[in-house]
Amino acid sequence: MNLSVLTTTGAAAGGNMSSMLIMLLVYGAIIAAMYFIFFRPQNKKKKEAEMRKNAQVGDEITTIGGICGRIIAVKDETDSVIIETGSDRARLRIKRWAIGSVDTIHEEDA
């Protein structure tokens, strides 16, 4: 009789430990999912906004519509830039929010 009591209490203690481990794994998965759903996209948007804000004259850019060109003027009052495209040097005025990527690599001063 005493042997069966010891066996059931040992199994119950092992069961508690495994259920605790599973519960911690579930909480960890929920926290990881929240990071990827909420915080990572927000950081990505901040980086894109910084990239658009730091675009300067002489940078090669690609717009979200796929137009490639070089910035030749920046209009801060209208929040737009003027780019020059192609060999015929056609000029386009675009809004800063339409900049998809800045292709020029600037070396940071150390």
Side-chain angles (χ1 to χ4, degrees):
M1 183 134 177
N2 289 337
L3 184 59
S4 65
V5 171
L6 291 175
T7 308
T8 55
T9 57
N16 281 341
M17 190 59 114
S18 66
S19 67
M20 179 91 119
L21 183 63
I22 291 172
M23 184 176 67
L24 288 175
L25 288 174
V26 168
Y27 283 142
I30 290 172
I31 289 171
M34 287 178 61
Y35 170 77
F36 283 108
I37 291 172
F38 295 115
F39 299 117
R40 190 164 182 244
Q42 187 177 22
N43 291 339
K44 201 172 183 183
K45 284 184 182 181
K46 282 183 187 177
K47 275 186 172 179
E48 287 177 356
E50 280 293 316
M51 178 260 313
R52 288 182 179 114
K53 188 178 90 174
N54 293 333
Q56 56 192 353
V57 175
D59 285 349
E60 293 284 333
I61 65 164
T62 303
T63 66
I64 57 175
I67 299 171
C68 298
R70 175 177 288 133
I71 298 177
I72 59 169
V74 177
K75 305 261 184 191
D76 287 328
E77 58 275 353
T78 59
D79 199 31
S80 61
V81 296
I82 298 174
I83 63 172
E84 201 170 64
T85 63
S87 60
D88 60 349
R89 298 184 181 234
R91 294 182 178 189
L92 300 170
R93 188 180 80 187
I94 62 167
K95 293 288 189 178
R96 279 192 186 265
W97 59 261
I99 297 174
S101 67
V102 176
D103 303 326
T104 305
I105 299 172
H106 294 284
E107 292 189 22
E108 298 295 326
D109 293 334

